[in-house]
Amino acid sequence: MLSDRQLLILQVIIDDFIRSAQPVGSRSLSKKDGIQYSSATIRNEMSDLEEMGFLEKTHTSSGRVPSEKGYRFYVDHLLSPQKLQQQDISLIHSIFADRIYEMERIVQRSAKILSELTNYTSIILGPNSQQNRVKKLQVVPLHDDTAIAIIVTDTGHVENRRFSLPKGTNADELEKMVRLLNDQLVGVPLMDLQDHIYKEIAILLRRHIANYDLMLQAFAEIMNIPVYDKLFFGGKMNMMNQPEFSDIDKLRLLMDMIETEESLYPLIRPAQGVGIQVKIGKENDNIAMENCSLITATFPIAGGQKGSLAILGPTRMEYSRVISLLNVLSMDLSKALSSLYFQSKDES
Amino acid sequence: MLSDRQLLILQVIIDDFIRSAQPVGSRSLSKKDGIQYSSATIRNEMSDLEEMGFLEKTHTSSGRVPSEKGYRFYVDHLLSPQKLQQQDISLIHSIFADRIYEMERIVQRSAKILSELTNYTSIILGPNSQQNRVKKLQVVPLHDDTAIAIIVTDTGHVENRRFSLPKGTNADELEKMVRLLNDQLVGVPLMDLQDHIYKEIAILLRRHIANYDLMLQAFAEIMNIPVYDKLFFGGKMNMMNQPEFSDIDKLRLLMDMIETEESLYPLIRPAQGVGIQVKIGKENDNIAMENCSLITATFPIAGGQKGSLAILGPTRMEYSRVISLLNVLSMDLSKALSSLYFQSKDES
DNA sequence: TGTTAGCACTCTATTTGAACGAGTGCTAAT
DNA sequence: ATTAGCACTCGTTCAAATAGAGTGCTAACA
């Protein structure tokens, strides 16, 4: 469909625009190394490329700017995988240099480094804790009528919640209850807790515990684990540096979206499978993301889980570099988080 | 020092500027209700007020703008406590409408509502968890060589940390160790944990536990509780709406400061005592806060603790309204958090 | 003596027009 | 098929002109 020359020109235009953020004109193109055509020839090709929808003009006599279709083609067909600098790679590896035992810390550091390496905004979503299984349930009474319930999962994730004890609960009964719950719930994925509570547990409790209904209600509330996991961000403010967001209204729109995390989940959540996914501009289906691209890397974690790494940047983003970085980091993260989780997996 | 007329004029100028963000001229002032002086008279008074340092001009022939000294005087002497709308008050009370058992949830909701009510940024710092006392220490083994340590405080605060067990630790010994630690540490404030570990505990352990040194080290690491508590924010992006931050560079400076929480602690941390404190512009001693004021409300929580509520806005902020709102909310929060903590206090 | 009207002056913001430059599209020559 | 050349378009920059808001000062007034 496209001639070699058109491919070349399209590629150079996009590369140039990504660097400069300025519309690219035929004359400046013709002076580039590797281009031996005259500006007139280039103009003709540009005109054709525009007609095909790969390029746009900002006004009648301006240089050309890639369209979303242009970026899409660029990402799908023209991207030459960029070789990362050794420096960058070792910076990524440095995240895992010292043995860390907290998933949160690893992920937080990853997000930070990734944003510093790209100057874009990074978003990381860890493994879905809903699939983790209960390892242990504990209750620490604080006072006559309140207590803290703590659920530890096989992955080392800890959820805790304060709840009120039904009046006149005595310590023995509470302990008995906790033992009962542990017997029933250990090994159950968090997402199934509610079900279990209302089915198996309810029946059992009725038999063994005095005022079982209030107790049940209290525990049911506790087991209501949030569906969404925490998102980790790096460089939240980096988009302010991008010229496309020098307009404060556009900036606000985007920032507000970033702050309301709910709207981000559908964008970040691994669709299916693993690997890199690039969503350009309107492909994200979100007004605030008009001028943004989102590159998501989904990676496997031991035990059938998945994690997701994302970079949010302007459509004019360094796709090649970002994809390379994501590849490296997602492999590292996959390994690191798996080993963190594996330990709990192989003892079952 | 200042005549009644000067006081009136200063007050009206500041009130007007707070609303409009525009320099106030003599003519527009003279046409205001409650002002019966001619523009010429007002000009003379303005000139005097400027000479005294309460007003400034943005350029030679512009209207007047309050100086920081002007705001300071306004806050100290001219502020008429604003009567809040019933609607606002009930919105604040609504935070506490249903019984909530999590400090985090209450505080997060407070921050959100406060920012919505003011259109500024709200920052809340809960009670200092360093002063909380250990209620219970628990260890949940995950695997042969890793375990989760959980510390529950008397206030219901839960800290958890993953750590690696020394090779060949057996379950009995671990349990023994945990029992020992509990005996020694229950009732100790978090801030003193490190001390205790290295003094009392070390000696004790050497007597009872096999490879006590590795174990000790592991626990010492665990007990290293962060000094700073989490800050809760509301309306982080609200400063974008303020005309003084239409300049994207100023905005970035401020936002970067907000994001690096460490720099905020010294500003928010209750100096001493309780009550409202207003810091205007340079009084905050921070370049990024040049055009900002910070109003802090420190309130008591049962057990000698303190919490802090802060509003970050432009120096041109609605001091009166914000102070009123902070007064109401800080009283509510004081009550709510105290009752959350009181329960654990009165059983000791 | 305090207040005010009037006026000259200053500075900003906005508009206008001219000049420039970067770019395009088209045509004709190579 | 390619390219040189030219007319044309549009955005940007600069300076000058203008309008408007505001000040400071002086002189008149009550």
Side-chain angles (χ1 to χ4, degrees):
Chain A
M1 181 106 168
L2 289 184
S3 71
D4 282 357
R5 191 168 66 190
Q6 285 175 323
L7 291 177
L8 176 65
I9 289 176
L10 181 56
Q11 174 156 40
V12 175
I13 289 177
I14 298 185
D15 281 338
D16 193 80
F17 184 70
I18 284 176
R19 247 181 309 113
S20 70
Q22 296 299 324
V24 185
S26 59
R27 201 173 128 72
S28 66
L29 246 198
S30 70
K31 280 189 290 194
K32 268 205 145 53
D33 296 357
I35 305 279
Q36 63 277 56
Y37 315 103
S38 75
S39 64
T41 310
I42 293 173
R43 272 202 294 283
N44 290 329
E45 297 288 30
M46 278 175 152
S47 179
D48 291 351
L49 285 168
E50 181 176 3
E51 204 163 308
M52 288 184 270
F54 295 113
L55 296 178
E56 287 171 352
K57 282 189 283 193
T58 61
H59 57 89
T60 47
S61 73
S62 78
R64 300 306 207 291
V65 157
S67 67
E68 289 192 7
K69 184 177 170 187
Y71 283 120
R72 172 48 62 197
F73 188 87
Y74 175 82
V75 168
D76 290 342
H77 302 110
L78 299 175
L79 221 54
S80 50
Q82 189 192 316
K83 189 103 186 309
L84 294 175
Q85 300 213 354
Q86 189 51 45
Q87 188 182 350
D88 295 343
I89 295 178
S90 45
L91 194 54
I92 290 181
H93 289 327
S94 79
I95 300 172
F96 309 91
D98 39 54
R99 192 101 184 73
I100 305 179
Y101 297 104
E102 314 285 335
M103 188 268 263
E104 295 227 349
R105 289 252 302 278
I106 296 180
V107 171
Q108 190 59 69
R109 268 174 72 172
S110 301
K112 178 149 180 278
I113 296 232
L114 199 50
S115 68
E116 283 167 2
L117 240 27
T118 58
N119 278 315
Y120 305 131
T121 300
S122 67
I123 310 169
I124 307 189
L125 182 54
N128 184 346
S129 63
Q130 284 274 311
Q131 294 179 36
N132 296 349
R133 292 160 191 282
V134 174
K135 179 91 188 179
K136 185 139 198 188
L137 168 72
Q138 294 184 313
V139 172
V140 178
L142 277 186
H143 181 251
D144 285 348
D145 59 1
T146 53
I148 305 283
I150 299 171
I151 297 176
V152 182
T153 71
D154 55 354
T155 59
H157 181 86
V158 177
E159 285 274 345
N160 71 281
R161 200 129 326 158
R162 183 193 286 246
F163 68 106
S164 69
L165 295 167
K167 275 214 174 62
T169 311
N170 69 55
D172 286 348
E173 203 163 42
L174 185 60
E175 211 161 302
K176 190 163 133 198
M177 167 111 185
V178 171
R179 219 175 309 122
L180 256 171
L181 285 171
N182 264 303
D183 287 346
Q184 290 296 315
L185 294 181
V186 167
V188 172
L190 296 188
M191 57 191 302
D192 298 339
L193 275 183
Q194 287 286 327
D195 263 21
H196 270 255
I197 286 275
Y198 284 115
K199 291 180 187 157
E200 288 87 346
I201 308 289
I203 299 164
L204 212 69
L205 282 194
R206 187 183 325 213
R207 252 199 307 235
H208 294 89
I209 305 285
N211 48 357
Y212 92 102
D213 49 345
L214 282 173
M215 201 66 139
L216 182 68
Q217 204 185 326
F219 272 93
E221 210 166 294
I222 293 163
M223 308 285 181
N224 196 3
I225 310 285
V227 178
Y228 288 130
D229 288 290
K230 196 173 159 193
L231 287 174
F232 295 83
F233 291 89
K236 254 187 190 173
M237 299 298 161
N238 278 1
M239 293 304 262
M240 290 201 308
N241 302 321
Q242 300 300 336
E244 23 275 283
F245 289 95
S246 60
D247 175 13
I248 206 140
D249 288 322
K250 278 190 192 143
L251 183 64
R252 175 164 38 225
L253 199 63
L254 182 65
M255 287 304 188
D256 284 347
M257 194 215 56
I258 292 178
E259 286 293 296
T260 59
E261 305 200 349
E262 303 80 45
S263 61
L264 273 178
Y265 278 99
L267 299 174
I268 308 291
R269 250 285 155 243
Q272 62 244 39
V274 294
I276 300 259
Q277 191 191 48
V278 181
K279 289 262 188 186
I280 297 164
K282 298 195 189 65
E283 293 174 11
N284 288 296
D285 239 353
N286 187 316
I287 335 120
M289 305 262 292
E290 283 274 311
N291 299 301
C292 295
S293 283
L294 188 71
I295 307 189
T296 329
T298 305
F299 56 89
I301 301 173
Q305 295 257 34
K306 284 190 241 170
S308 301
L309 260 172
I311 287 286
L312 174 67
T315 46
R316 184 190 62 75
M317 106 157 82
E318 291 186 74
Y319 293 94
S320 179
R321 175 175 165 77
V322 168
I323 288 174
S324 300
L325 287 169
L326 286 183
N327 267 324
V328 173
L329 180 56
S330 67
M331 281 178 60
D332 278 8
L333 266 180
S334 176
K335 232 183 300 170
L337 295 186
S338 289
S339 92
L340 217 58
Y341 280 31
F342 184 80
Q343 301 179 338
S344 57
K345 283 290 164 193
D346 77 349
E347 67 156 347
S348 67
Chain B
M1 181 111 168
L2 289 185
S3 70
D4 282 356
R5 192 167 68 189
Q6 285 174 323
L7 291 178
L8 175 65
I9 289 175
L10 181 57
Q11 173 155 40
V12 175
I13 288 177
I14 297 186
D15 281 337
D16 192 80
F17 184 70
I18 284 176
R19 246 182 305 114
S20 69
Q22 296 298 325
V24 185
S26 59
R27 200 173 128 72
S28 68
L29 247 198
S30 72
K31 279 190 290 194
K32 269 202 144 53
D33 295 356
I35 306 279
Q36 62 277 55
Y37 315 103
S38 75
S39 66
T41 309
I42 292 173
R43 271 201 294 285
N44 290 331
E45 297 288 29
M46 278 174 152
S47 179
D48 291 351
L49 285 168
E50 180 177 4
E51 205 164 307
M52 289 185 267
F54 295 113
L55 296 178
E56 285 170 353
K57 282 190 283 194
T58 61
H59 57 86
T60 48
S61 74
S62 77
R64 299 308 206 291
V65 157
S67 67
E68 289 193 7
K69 183 177 171 187
Y71 284 121
R72 172 48 63 199
F73 187 87
Y74 175 81
V75 168
D76 290 342
H77 302 111
L78 299 176
L79 221 53
S80 48
Q82 190 193 316
K83 190 104 186 307
L84 294 175
Q85 299 214 353
Q86 190 50 45
Q87 186 182 351
D88 295 343
I89 295 179
S90 45
L91 195 54
I92 290 181
H93 289 328
S94 79
I95 301 172
F96 308 91
D98 38 55
R99 193 101 182 73
I100 305 179
Y101 296 104
E102 314 286 332
M103 187 266 265
E104 296 228 348
R105 289 253 303 279
I106 296 180
V107 171
Q108 191 58 70
R109 268 174 72 173
S110 300
K112 177 146 180 280
I113 295 228
L114 199 50
S115 68
E116 284 167 0
L117 240 27
T118 58
N119 278 314
Y120 305 130
T121 299
S122 67
I123 310 169
I124 307 189
L125 183 53
N128 183 348
S129 64
Q130 284 273 311
Q131 294 180 34
N132 296 349
R133 292 160 189 281
V134 174
K135 178 91 187 180
K136 185 138 199 191
L137 167 72
Q138 293 185 313
V139 172
V140 178
L142 276 186
H143 181 252
D144 285 348
D145 58 1
T146 53
I148 305 281
I150 299 171
I151 297 176
V152 182
T153 70
D154 55 355
T155 58
H157 181 83
V158 178
E159 286 274 344
N160 70 281
R161 202 132 321 159
R162 183 192 287 244
F163 69 105
S164 70
L165 295 168
K167 273 210 175 65
T169 311
N170 69 54
D172 285 349
E173 206 164 39
L174 185 62
E175 209 161 304
K176 190 163 131 198
M177 166 111 185
V178 171
R179 218 174 313 120
L180 257 171
L181 285 171
N182 263 305
D183 287 347
Q184 291 296 314
L185 295 181
V186 166
V188 173
L190 297 187
M191 57 191 303
D192 298 339
L193 276 183
Q194 288 285 328
D195 262 22
H196 270 254
I197 285 273
Y198 284 115
K199 291 179 187 157
E200 288 86 346
I201 309 289
I203 299 164
L204 214 68
L205 284 193
R206 184 178 332 205
R207 253 198 306 232
H208 295 89
I209 305 284
N211 49 356
Y212 91 101
D213 47 346
L214 282 171
M215 200 67 141
L216 182 69
Q217 204 185 326
F219 272 94
E221 210 165 295
I222 292 163
M223 308 284 181
N224 196 2
I225 310 285
V227 178
Y228 288 130
D229 289 289
K230 197 172 157 191
L231 288 175
F232 295 83
F233 291 89
K236 253 187 190 171
M237 300 298 162
N238 278 3
M239 293 304 262
M240 291 202 308
N241 302 322
Q242 300 299 335
E244 22 275 284
F245 289 94
S246 61
D247 175 11
I248 206 140
D249 288 321
K250 279 193 192 140
L251 183 63
R252 174 161 42 224
L253 197 63
L254 183 64
M255 286 305 186
D256 285 346
M257 193 215 56
I258 292 179
E259 286 293 296
T260 60
E261 305 199 350
E262 302 81 44
S263 61
L264 274 178
Y265 278 99
L267 299 174
I268 308 291
R269 250 284 153 245
Q272 61 243 38
V274 295
I276 301 258
Q277 191 191 48
V278 181
K279 289 261 190 188
I280 297 165
K282 298 195 190 66
E283 293 174 9
N284 289 296
D285 237 352
N286 187 315
I287 336 120
M289 306 262 291
E290 284 274 309
N291 300 300
C292 295
S293 283
L294 188 72
I295 307 189
T296 330
T298 305
F299 56 90
I301 300 173
Q305 295 256 35
K306 285 189 241 170
S308 301
L309 260 173
I311 286 287
L312 174 66
T315 46
R316 183 188 61 75
M317 111 156 81
E318 292 185 72
Y319 293 93
S320 178
R321 173 174 166 79
V322 168
I323 289 174
S324 300
L325 287 170
L326 286 183
N327 267 325
V328 173
L329 180 55
S330 67
M331 280 178 61
D332 278 7
L333 266 180
S334 176
K335 232 184 295 169
L337 295 186
S338 288
S339 92
L340 217 57
Y341 279 32
F342 185 80
Q343 301 180 339
S344 57
K345 283 290 165 197
D346 75 352
E347 67 157 346
S348 67

